[in-house]
């Protein structure tokens, strides 16, 4: 299951403490040292931090320097976490003035990072990202590991909010390295928790489970009860994704036990949100509703907009689970609207996936379909962004290698010129040395030529590997979803017709296939058998198609078949052949023989009676809706949208006019 925004939002509430970020080993003394100890013991509860450092302000201002810097950072961050926006912004302004006045880059980096956190907690992610980008170069030049840890963590949260998940992963890994060097149990626990949440969003449940175990271990060692509860909550989420129900149950019970009496209102809000989410996952909807209502009231009293939105989502989902679909949708839609407003694509996508699943389970197919469509559109947009970033990174890498090669050749050229000058000097001294120098120069030139040639060959091989990897799925060897766009662009705009009568009969079409009950295969037999099923299905599909037809690994257990030229009367025949290719005979895996079937939705690019210009995105959309309908009708069947009337019926969910199904081999 995709990670809901409640988990990642709660991380911001538990937070990477700004106090620790301001303290470097060579600066700690007096007041700064005392604040550091308070942070280590109570950093997850900002209310406690405020009460304990409030009496230190006068002494910190009198001392100035590092003591004042650390106090302002701690004071501002703690108030930001508890809704004291005015106090937090005043502290950030004073911290920035201090950095400008003293020309201290570390203080400026801290001020910029504090502003980013204040804005992030207000849901203003784009502006927050600008401040993070200003803090990054200042922090990277600093020897202060604590500052680098905090700024990298802030940058990771900012990248996540903007949908740049790979960048977020790199930033959290950088923060983890800094945390390990400081040997601070609390920071290591917090950073492992951040990694768990991100890896779950990236669907790496096995990696997430490892980081959850490490987070709990460091939280226990550092006596951080709130972080230990958070680690166990995330372990339950990862165990659910792995299909380990027993481990999920034990981790959930441990998280609930650890969540008792964790501190002030801000910490209690985080606990209520976690407990509500865990009860939603366990389908304890009544308990989730009670905790969601308590969390909503507390978030409103704290004026915590992200917390309020998350509580609305949990409460709305609980009501849907209890059968109060209309009330649940109204409350959940309000929570989703907040994440749309702040343009947090990752949160919106995660929320919509969970929302659609709940609506489908509750029997509200119409609204479930609407939610699924929006989630698909957002996912496509994020994939396009990832592809653009990948192309830019590859171009930058190529240019860097090219410049490096040019510099190396220039250095070698300079060395040759120096050798030539030496040869001329030697020639003036002795004519017999001329022959020796010429011979040496020739040998060097040959060696350099050989090295340059080998370097060019290695670069060409690496470029070929990169090009192959960018186009193909590593498990099945099929073309991947990103390359599918290139395939479409390579197709001619019009179909070539050998005869006049072909113009109305020959069409282009797409077929979307989804392996039925694939999650049960993974849960019952393991991911190794699941991978074996995917590889065998890919092989069967390749063998069943003509050379001109292409099969693509669309994602997960989904495949796509592109038929660039097929007679309209043969569409149903190809769908039947695909059903039988997959399901006619069992698949042998590692010690198991499994009967596997598939559901198919398909549609031609050109629809009779369609007044609009043929468009591949609409054709894919029609095929996706047909696949969704095939799943609803019981799976192991194919449904085609081959006429404009079919498209209108499936868009309007008109059961009487919906196209018929083609049964699979087991259903026939």
């Amino acid at each position: 299951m995709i990670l809901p925004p409640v988990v990642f939002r709660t991380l911001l509430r538990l937070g990477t403490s700004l106090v620790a970020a301001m303290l470097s080993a060579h600066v700690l003394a007096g007041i700064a040292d005392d604040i550091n100890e308070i942070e280590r013991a109570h950093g997850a509860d900002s209310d406690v931090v405020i009460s304990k450092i409030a009496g230190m302000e006068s002494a910190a201002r009198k001392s100035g320097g590092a003591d004042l810097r650390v106090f302002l950072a701690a004071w501002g961050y703690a108030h930001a976490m508890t809704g004291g926006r005015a106090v937090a912004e005043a502290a950030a302004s004073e911290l920035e003035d201090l950095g400008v006045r003293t020309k201290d880059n570390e203080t400026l980096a801290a001020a910029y990072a504090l502003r980013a956190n204040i804005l992030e907690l207000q849901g203003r992610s784009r502006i927050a990202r600008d401040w993070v980008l200003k803090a990054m170069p200042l922090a990277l030049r600093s020897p202060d590991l604590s500052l680098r840890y905090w700024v990298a963590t802030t940058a990771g949260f900012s990248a996540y909010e903007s949908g740049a998940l790979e960048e977020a992963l790199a930033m959290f890994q950088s923060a983890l390295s800094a945390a390990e060097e400081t040997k601070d149990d609390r920071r290591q626990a917090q950073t492992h928790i951040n990694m768990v949440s991100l890896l779950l969003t990236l669907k790496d449940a096995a990696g997430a489970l490892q980081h959850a175990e490490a987070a709990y271990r460091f939280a226990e060692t550092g006596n951080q009860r709130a972080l230990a509860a958070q680690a166990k909550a995330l372990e339950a989420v990862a165990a659910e994704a792995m299909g380990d129900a027993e481990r999920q149950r034990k981790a959930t019970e441990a998280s609930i036990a650890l969540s008792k009496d964790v501190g002030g209102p801000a910490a209690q809000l985080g606990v209520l949100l976690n407990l509500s989410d865990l009860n939603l996952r366990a389908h304890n909807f009544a308990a989730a509703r009670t905790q969601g209502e308590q969390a909503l009231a507390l978030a409103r009293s704290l004026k915590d907009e992200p917390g309020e939105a998350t509580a609305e989502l949990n409460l709305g989902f609980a009501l849907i689970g209890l059968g109060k679909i209309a009330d649940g949708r109204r409350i959940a839609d309000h929570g989703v609207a907040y994440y749309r407003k702040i343009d947090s694509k990752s949160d919106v996508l995660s929320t919509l996936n969970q929302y659609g699943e709940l609506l489908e389970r509750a029997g509200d197919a119409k609204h479930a379909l609407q939610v699924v469509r929006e989630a698909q559109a957002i996912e496509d947009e994020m994939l396009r962004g990832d592809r653009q970033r990948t192309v830019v990174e590859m171009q930058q890498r190529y240019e860097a290698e090219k410049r490096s090669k040019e510099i190396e050749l220039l250095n070698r050229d300079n060395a040759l010129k120096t050798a030539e000058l030496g040869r001329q000097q030697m020639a003036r001294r002795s004519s017999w040395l001329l022959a020796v120098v010429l011979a040496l120069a020739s040998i060097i030139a040959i060696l350099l030529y050989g090295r340059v040639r080998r370097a060019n060959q290695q670069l060409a091989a690496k470029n070929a590997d990169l090009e192959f990897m960018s186009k193909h799925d590593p498990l099945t060897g099929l073309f991947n979803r990103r390359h599918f766009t290139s395939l479409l662009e390579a197709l001619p705009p019009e179909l070539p017709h050998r005869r006049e009568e072909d113009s109305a009969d020959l069409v282009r079409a797409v077929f979307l296939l989804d392996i039925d009950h694939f999650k049960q295969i993974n849960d019952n037999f393991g991911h190794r058998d699941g991978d074996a099923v995917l590889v065998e299905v890919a092989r069967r599909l390749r063998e069943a198609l003509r050379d001109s037809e292409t099969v693509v690994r669309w994602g997960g257990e989904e495949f796509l078949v592109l038929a660039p030229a097929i007679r309209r009367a043969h569409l149903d025949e190809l769908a039947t052949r695909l059903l039988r290719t997959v399901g006619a005979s069992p698949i042998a895996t590692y010690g198991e023989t499994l009967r596997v079937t598939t559901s198919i939705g398909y549609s031609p690019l050109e629809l009779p009676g369609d007044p609009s210009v043929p468009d591949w995105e609409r054709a894919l959309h029609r095929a996706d809706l047909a696949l969704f309908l095939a799943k609803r009708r019981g799976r192991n069947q194919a449904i085609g949208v081959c006429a404009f009337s079919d498209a209108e019926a499936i868009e309007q969910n008109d059961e009487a006019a919906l196209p018929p199904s083609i049964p699979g081999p087991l259903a026939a």
Side-chain angles (χ1 to χ4, degrees):
M1 180 181 295
I2 295 175
L3 182 72
V6 58
V7 178
F8 222 77
R9 285 292 180 184
T10 303
L11 295 180
L12 277 175
R13 189 167 292 101
L14 291 175
T16 57
S17 175
L18 177 60
V19 183
M22 298 301 95
L23 304 175
S24 59
H26 62 280
V27 169
L28 286 177
I31 296 170
D33 200 1
D34 293 341
I35 294 176
N36 183 43
E37 291 304 317
I38 292 171
E39 185 274 333
R40 289 179 186 275
H42 308 288
D45 194 335
S46 298
D47 295 299
V48 176
V49 172
I50 291 172
S51 67
K52 288 187 175 292
I53 69 173
M56 299 181 181
E57 180 176 3
S58 177
R61 293 190 179 281
K62 183 177 180 180
S63 175
D67 285 341
L68 180 57
R69 171 164 65 101
V70 171
F71 174 81
L72 289 172
W75 188 251
Y77 186 83
H79 278 86
M81 295 296 290
T82 54
R85 175 180 171 185
V87 176
E89 290 181 344
S93 297
E94 187 173 353
L95 194 60
E96 186 174 0
D97 291 342
L98 178 63
V100 172
R101 191 169 61 252
T102 60
K103 298 180 179 180
D104 184 356
N105 285 338
E106 293 179 354
T107 302
L108 285 174
Y112 297 156
L114 175 56
R115 287 198 183 279
N117 275 273
I118 294 170
L119 291 165
E120 194 68 64
L121 289 165
Q122 296 170 15
R124 300 166 68 187
S125 300
R126 289 187 177 179
I127 304 175
R129 188 163 174 76
D130 293 338
W131 285 102
V132 170
L133 294 176
K134 291 181 68 174
M136 282 294 294
L138 300 177
L140 290 176
R141 292 198 296 267
S142 170
D144 186 349
L145 288 172
S146 298
L147 180 62
R148 280 155 52 189
Y149 158 78
W150 183 59
V151 173
T153 302
T154 304
F157 279 116
S158 178
Y160 173 85
E161 293 288 350
S162 65
L165 301 184
E166 294 297 333
E167 180 185 344
L169 183 61
M171 289 295 99
F172 285 147
Q173 287 171 337
S174 177
L176 183 57
S177 297
E180 288 170 347
E181 288 192 55
T182 61
K183 300 186 185 303
D184 186 307
D185 291 332
R186 185 182 184 281
R187 292 185 203 171
Q188 292 187 75
Q190 181 66 64
T191 312
H192 280 294
I193 284 174
N194 298 344
M195 291 290 289
V196 175
S197 302
L198 183 57
L199 289 173
L200 284 171
T201 303
L202 290 169
K203 300 183 181 179
D204 182 3
L209 202 56
Q210 293 178 357
H211 282 283
E213 293 169 349
Y216 179 73
R217 187 167 60 252
F218 284 113
E220 281 285 284
T221 304
N223 195 28
Q224 298 291 327
R225 188 180 181 91
L227 290 180
Q230 184 70 15
K232 281 297 179 183
L234 288 171
E235 181 183 338
V237 178
E240 180 192 23
M242 293 286 288
D244 191 340
E246 179 62 17
R247 184 166 186 176
Q248 178 190 4
R249 182 186 63 78
K250 291 181 179 179
T252 299
E253 292 174 353
S255 178
I256 293 172
L258 289 165
S259 298
K260 297 176 180 178
D261 304 323
V262 294
Q268 290 170 13
L269 176 57
V271 168
L272 285 170
L273 293 174
N274 283 334
L275 293 178
S276 179
D277 180 62
L278 289 173
N279 277 310
L280 281 175
R281 292 174 178 279
H283 296 170
N284 297 328
F285 296 117
R289 174 184 181 178
T290 300
Q291 291 150 354
E293 290 171 341
Q294 293 172 350
L296 183 59
L298 185 54
R300 286 172 175 169
S301 69
L302 294 173
K303 298 180 180 179
D304 183 340
E305 284 189 274
E308 182 178 344
T310 303
E312 287 176 332
L313 289 173
N314 283 359
L315 178 56
F317 291 169
L319 289 172
I320 291 172
L322 291 170
K324 301 179 182 296
I325 298 176
D327 291 340
R329 281 184 46 236
R330 176 177 52 79
I331 296 173
D333 287 344
H334 193 268
V336 174
Y338 170 80
Y339 291 110
R340 289 198 191 97
K341 180 184 71 174
I342 67 174
D343 196 26
S344 178
K345 293 183 176 61
S346 297
D347 282 340
V348 174
L349 177 59
S350 300
T351 300
L352 291 178
N353 279 319
Q354 190 179 18
Y355 196 1
E357 184 179 334
L358 281 169
L359 287 172
E360 183 180 6
R361 188 182 296 122
D364 189 352
K366 177 181 177 181
H367 292 100
L369 183 58
Q370 292 175 356
V371 170
V372 167
R373 289 175 185 167
E374 183 179 357
Q376 183 67 55
I378 293 172
E379 186 174 7
D380 289 343
E381 182 181 351
M382 292 175 67
L383 280 173
R384 286 194 294 271
D386 285 344
R387 183 175 64 182
Q388 291 170 355
R389 281 191 290 271
T390 300
V391 171
V392 171
E393 288 172 2
M394 291 178 68
Q395 290 174 341
Q396 291 174 343
R397 191 180 305 119
Y398 172 78
E399 291 297 330
E401 290 177 355
K402 182 179 177 182
R403 287 195 297 271
S404 176
K405 182 180 174 183
E406 289 173 349
I407 291 170
E408 183 181 356
L409 290 174
L410 182 61
N411 289 336
R412 290 172 180 171
D413 186 52
N414 290 336
L416 286 173
K417 290 179 180 178
T418 302
E420 179 65 17
L421 288 174
R423 186 190 65 80
Q424 292 175 1
Q425 292 173 355
M426 291 291 288
R428 287 192 294 267
R429 295 175 186 174
S430 175
S431 59
W432 67 268
L433 289 176
L434 179 60
V436 176
V437 173
L438 286 172
L440 289 174
S442 299
I443 293 171
I444 291 173
I446 292 171
L447 292 174
L448 290 175
Y449 175 78
R451 291 183 64 182
V452 170
R453 185 178 180 183
R454 286 193 297 274
N456 284 334
Q457 291 172 342
Q458 291 172 357
L459 181 59
K462 288 181 180 178
N463 286 338
D465 290 342
L466 285 172
E467 183 178 4
F468 183 88
M469 292 168 60
S470 69
K471 294 180 180 179
H472 291 80
D473 171 55
L475 177 64
T476 63
L478 299 176
F479 285 128
N480 59 27
R481 185 168 183 170
R482 290 181 177 179
H483 185 58
F484 179 69
T485 302
S486 302
L487 294 176
L488 294 183
E489 292 172 353
L491 292 176
E494 298 290 338
L495 272 172
H497 303 300
R498 291 188 294 272
R499 300 188 305 271
E500 185 66 24
E501 57 268 29
D502 284 343
S503 60
D505 186 40
L506 209 58
V507 296
R508 294 163 287 188
V510 288
F511 295 72
L512 279 176
L513 299 84
D514 188 289
I515 298 175
D516 296 329
H517 305 296
F518 184 76
K519 185 177 184 299
Q520 295 180 10
I521 295 175
N522 278 337
D523 291 345
N524 296 333
F525 303 101
H527 289 274
R528 189 171 69 156
D529 283 347
D531 287 349
V533 168
L534 291 172
V535 171
E536 175 60 16
V537 169
R539 185 192 66 78
R540 293 184 180 187
L541 291 175
R542 276 196 300 264
E543 292 183 355
L545 297 174
R546 296 179 299 177
D547 292 341
S548 62
E549 296 165 344
T550 304
V551 59
V552 175
R553 174 84 183 278
W554 196 242
E557 63 269 27
E558 287 188 346
F559 298 84
L560 179 144
V561 171
L562 171 64
I566 184 172
R567 293 192 181 279
R568 194 179 302 276
H570 294 169
L571 290 171
D572 291 352
E573 178 184 328
L574 179 53
T576 302
R577 181 163 19 114
L578 294 174
L579 285 170
R580 295 187 179 279
T581 294
V582 175
S585 61
I587 294 176
T589 63
Y590 297 91
E592 300 291 340
T593 302
L594 305 176
R595 179 73 67 176
V596 177
T597 61
T598 185
S599 299
I600 301 176
Y602 61 96
S603 179
L605 175 65
E606 300 87 0
L607 284 181
D610 188 353
S612 59
V613 177
D615 182 88
W616 281 111
E617 287 189 7
R618 286 202 298 274
L620 283 168
H621 179 63
R622 294 193 297 267
D624 191 49
L625 293 179
L627 174 60
F628 186 80
L629 181 59
K631 290 286 187 181
R632 282 177 50 196
R633 288 183 176 177
R635 299 179 170 82
N636 188 23
Q637 56 190 276
I639 297 177
V641 181
C642 301
F644 185 63
S645 59
D646 293 341
E648 289 184 320
I650 203 167
E651 286 281 352
Q652 298 169 6
N653 200 20
D654 184 357
E655 289 288 342
L658 288 174
S661 300
I662 299 174
L666 298 179

